[in-house]
Amino acid sequence: MLPAAILMAVLTVVPVIAVLQRALSDTDAFSRLFDAPNFGRIMLNTLVWTLVSVAGAVLIGYAAALLLRSPYLRLTGAWRGLFMIPWIIPGVVGATVWRWSLSSDYGLVNHWLIQANVIQHPIAWLSNPDVVLYAVALIQIWTTAPFVMLMVSAALTGIPAERYEAARLDGASGWQTFAYIVLPAIRSTTWIAVLTLVTWALNSFTIIWVMTSGGPAGASTILPIQLYQAFQRGDQSLVSAIAVLQLAICAVFVAIYARAMRSDLEELS
Amino acid sequence: MTIRPRTTALLAAVAVVVLAVVGVIVYNATRSSTDSSDTVTWWVPDWDWDVATTLVQKFESENPSLHVEMVKTTGATVANKVSVALDAGNAPDLITESIARTKTYIDKGQLADLTSLYDDKMPASDFAPGLTETLSVDGKTYAVPYRWATNALIYNKDLFDKAGIAGPPTTWAEFVEDAKKLTTSTVAGTAWPMQGDPSDLTLRFLDFALQNGTTIENGTPKFTQDSVEQALQLMGKSVVDGYATKSSFELDNTGIRDLFLQGRVGMYLGGVFDADTAATQKFPVATAIAPGPSGPGVQEGVGWTYIVPSKAKNLDGAKTLASFLGRPENMASLTLTFPARVSATQDAKFQTDVRKPFGEQLAKYSVPAPNDPRWTAMIPFVHDTIQEIALGSKSPQEGAAAIMAQAEKNLGGAK
Amino acid sequence: MTRSFARRPVLAVLTWVALAAVLVWTLWPIVLMVFTSFKPGSEIFAIPPTLTPKHWTFDNYTNVFTQSSMPHALVNSIIVGLLVAAATLIFCFSAGYALARFKFKGARSVALFILVGQLVPLSVLLLPLYKMVNKLQLLDTTIGLAFVHLTITVPLVTWMIRNQIAAIPISLEEAAEIDGGSRFDAVSYVTLPIAAPGLAAAGMFAFLQSWHEFLFASVFATSESARTAPVALTEFATEYHVDWGSTMAASVVLTVPVVIVFIALQRYLIGGLTSGAVKG
């Protein structure tokens, strides 16, 4: 167990300490971060981005996983493989293909909508400040929903068939079966999935950077974008300051998680 | 108690994996590093690779005692790679790096002093105006720039003829007027790179400001309220009024070129690579010096340089190679745009029709782009402000006031 | 099941319609990617846009296989990914098992702290890890890269596995031990088979985390010898130009083998290694 404990320490404790140490050695960076003219906007964007992308991915991932357990379907293995593709293709490529599709000059989405007479002028998906954040969140959902599907699929197989059978004999409706048998059984998986999605949302800049680079006028700038820019110009103290802020936000989620899983965790201590 | 077969197999598999990994790690950790006295390691971006290979062959035949080890980098990765390697003190001997990032390394004391390379065969005076100064601190020069270029005006001759415009605009007023004439339901007069790297947009903004009163001192921009407002007005209003395409928000540099090559953009301020590409495709492209408020307008020069880390294992070899690459003929053959040395621009490849205006722009109306890290830190803010004006959510006056306030706060203490 | 199919045809049709909707949502950008990979450069930004190429070309694929380090990078990516997946599973299974089964003081705080480690942005870890890997002389090797990729897989996978093991009644293991097996036997004959779908999912997760990682891969693999696929993709972009045709062709080349392997591994994931679970 000792080597494992050491490796675990190297992989988890050292990073956290390194971040805190750096950030505290230059507290000036915090005032630069908080005093920035667009700080409030960025925090709000980050919140919206995280909530929308996590909720969307959970919904679609659940739906896909449950759909693939339907007895009416054949070839579910192949369909599941195809659903995984958005998670497998390189992030830059996924984001680029979406950017092309939504472009107002040569985007197929606008082109088809115009041809079908649904709209007269191209919709500025990526240059309308009111729309852009939801558009990029949609792409984040697109890439992360397969992950939820994978986790939920695996968890669903852990439910013994006898329990479904018992529910059926008791005359439970489909919805009741879902609420009283499926949901409790995959609760811990759901929480882990949500936590992973939150970390991804708070660490991912590729999609936004490729599609809008945070624009227009900062309408899709979130904390990871700011962190990336600070990193690119070698501003290490600002990087650490943002990292501490992100840690604090994530810690809130971990605290919520610990509370939600309290009964489970108490077995430990 | 007995251990059953599946358990044995599993434990064995785990043991094999763990032992293999540990074995490789131990083998590597105890491996002695190779002797490097006759090897020069050079990090080269992939776009320079082929020409660099021929140059290295020539170098090695001139210096039989030295062997050059080339490592290919890519544009998207070179910045992170170099900064981490320098921070960790584990650097190669010679690196091809962007001039914009070099100042940061100089300030951190991570680069070797290359002043001694500037002798009578490679006099600093042969380099583009102001160029070696931006790479120097306290009279010591820390880099050998080899590639240097500015933007200039690129326009579509056919669209100009169709709109009844005789020649390229030479002033801001003509630029605006021509852009309006060029704009139809399918063509936009001009476009700005508002997507992609924020510095692409702020470079153009700063060009306009520099034409009108803003200056650069020791790599730091000194803004004037008036010039900032005029520049914001020119760029922002063009989008609001529709003679610059609204899709500017979705376009980066290459996006604008692609639209231009589709005949969708009449003219824009772009780089020499774009003009070359269009000319190769037999596109009706022409180029001209960038318009200023009332005549030719200055443009910022940007480019690439050779740097030698102060912790290079083979300092002397690196300097020999840098000096070799600094010869005019070698600069001329390696650059994708223009060479940093004026004497190298005599080469025929810089004298084509579309390149001549770029050469003149560079020689007469150019200034090195600012490289103060404090300005770099301000770029995202300026970028967002320009976009706010282009969206119509802020007036140029408000935008200028905001930029001046930020400049005062962030750049104010400059010498 | 065929009985209910006959009884509720409307539900069957609805299911297939829902499947079609999810497929369209998932796949149409992929379709664009595939078609673009067959387009000549001049067609990619044509106005008006078309989905299918006017002139089909294989040049992009030829370019990927002859002009770039992509084939080698694909092999590197797979090696690193498999190393990461194997190491993650071995390590996290032991750690997860310990957290789920052994009662020791502070287990709860240790468990939660592991999660916090996951949340540190990679750019902050870059320099300390670089120095560590450099000391081990593992820069520019696939093993070195796999080692740093563990930082992004270990915390979450430990938790995934911990939760799975916690959900398995300990009485099952005890029963195996009573039958004369060791603790190891109990794990390999009882716990592992039950946890298999979750382990397969966790392995896939670890593989894909490594598969996508760009920042570490770009810095730790100095030369082309350990360069992975996401980094090799940037070879198609120079300062002024991006060869999108080849980029798309390369991503098709990257995606196809992984999807095939995934479909082949399906049965372990969904699979019926447990008692009476429904076949997928």
Side-chain angles (χ1 to χ4, degrees), chain A residues 112-147:
Chain A
W112 284 333
L113 287 177
I114 289 174
Q115 293 231 307
N117 272 322
V118 179
I119 52 172
Q120 292 299 309
H121 300 285
I123 298 175
W125 301 102
L126 300 178
S127 45
N128 183 337
D130 300 325
V131 176
V132 63
L133 193 58
Y134 299 96
V136 289
L138 204 66
I139 318 309
Q140 173 82 353
I141 295 171
W142 181 74
T143 52
T144 53
F147 158 73

Side-chain angles (χ1 to χ4, degrees), chain B residues 110-411:
Chain B
Q110 291 169 331
L111 299 187
D113 176 10
L114 300 181
T115 319
S116 61
L117 296 184
Y118 290 89
D119 52 14
D120 46 346
K121 276 190 199 150
M122 193 174 89
S125 57
D126 190 32
F127 284 77
L131 185 47
T132 54
E133 283 86 340
T134 66
L135 298 166
S136 304
V137 172
D138 298 333
K140 288 178 184 163
T141 309
Y142 292 88
V144 178
Y146 76 102
R147 192 174 122 188
W148 191 238
T150 63
N151 285 336
L153 189 77
I154 299 177
Y155 64 99
N156 182 326
K157 278 189 290 194
D158 285 2
L159 289 178
F160 268 59
D161 288 347
K162 227 181 266 171
I165 307 167
T170 54
T171 64
W172 284 11
E174 284 177 30
F175 178 81
V176 172
E177 196 186 324
D178 291 351
K180 282 179 180 162
K181 279 187 198 157
L182 287 163
T183 304
T184 66
S185 62
T186 54
V187 177
T190 188
W192 309 109
M194 295 191 169
Q195 206 263 330
D197 192 335
S199 66
D200 291 336
L201 183 63
T202 54
L203 180 87
R204 282 154 182 85
F205 157 80
L206 190 55
D207 284 340
F208 290 127
L210 287 167
Q211 292 161 9
N212 219 359
T214 293
T215 53
I216 296 175
E217 284 166 31
N218 290 324
T220 312
K222 296 269 154 205
F223 290 107
T224 65
Q225 168 104 25
D226 204 37
S227 65
V228 169
E229 193 180 319
Q230 301 285 330
L232 290 175
Q233 167 92 15
L234 182 71
M235 295 175 82
K237 202 165 182 301
S238 66
V239 179
V240 173
D241 290 357
Y243 54 89
T245 175
K246 291 254 192 267
S247 65
S248 286
F249 291 108
E250 299 168 18
L251 296 172
D252 55 8
N253 277 341
T254 53
I256 293 179
R257 180 181 67 223
D258 291 325
L259 274 193
F260 177 78
L261 292 175
Q262 295 286 332
R264 290 276 175 145
V265 169
M267 60 179 168
Y268 69 106
L269 292 158
V272 67
F273 183 88
D274 289 13
D276 284 346
T277 310
T280 327
Q281 294 184 10
K282 310 265 182 254
F283 192 81
V285 64
T287 56
I289 289 179
S294 54
V298 71
Q299 297 283 298
E300 290 156 84
V302 290
W304 290 71
T305 182
Y306 304 117
I307 52 175
V308 177
S310 52
K311 293 201 175 147
K313 292 185 187 80
N314 190 349
L315 216 53
D316 293 332
K319 283 183 181 174
T320 318
L321 181 57
S323 164
F324 170 82
L325 294 169
R327 292 180 195 164
E329 67 272 20
N330 294 343
M331 268 192 194
S333 65
L334 200 51
T335 180
L336 283 183
T337 57
F338 279 84
R341 288 180 72 166
V342 178
S343 57
T345 55
Q346 299 313 312
D347 196 294
K349 89 181 211 193
F350 306 110
Q351 304 297 328
T352 63
D353 282 346
V354 291
R355 280 195 166 202
K356 268 184 195 156
F358 279 92
E360 200 183 338
Q361 179 90 49
L362 195 59
K364 290 191 197 155
Y365 310 104
S366 77
V367 53
N371 55 3
D372 186 333
R374 294 173 302 175
W375 159 245
T376 320
M378 255 187 78
I379 283 180
F381 176 78
V382 176
H383 171 260
D384 288 357
T385 308
I386 301 169
Q387 294 201 339
E388 277 170 340
I389 290 144
L391 283 171
S393 59
K394 231 182 207 177
S395 73
Q397 291 85 346
E398 289 164 340
I403 289 178
M404 291 307 288
Q406 283 293 312
E408 179 72 26
K409 197 167 136 198
N410 294 307
L411 312 173

Side-chain angles (χ1 to χ4, degrees), chain C residues 81 152 155 192 224:
Chain C
I152 53 176
L192 270 181
E224 282 172 301

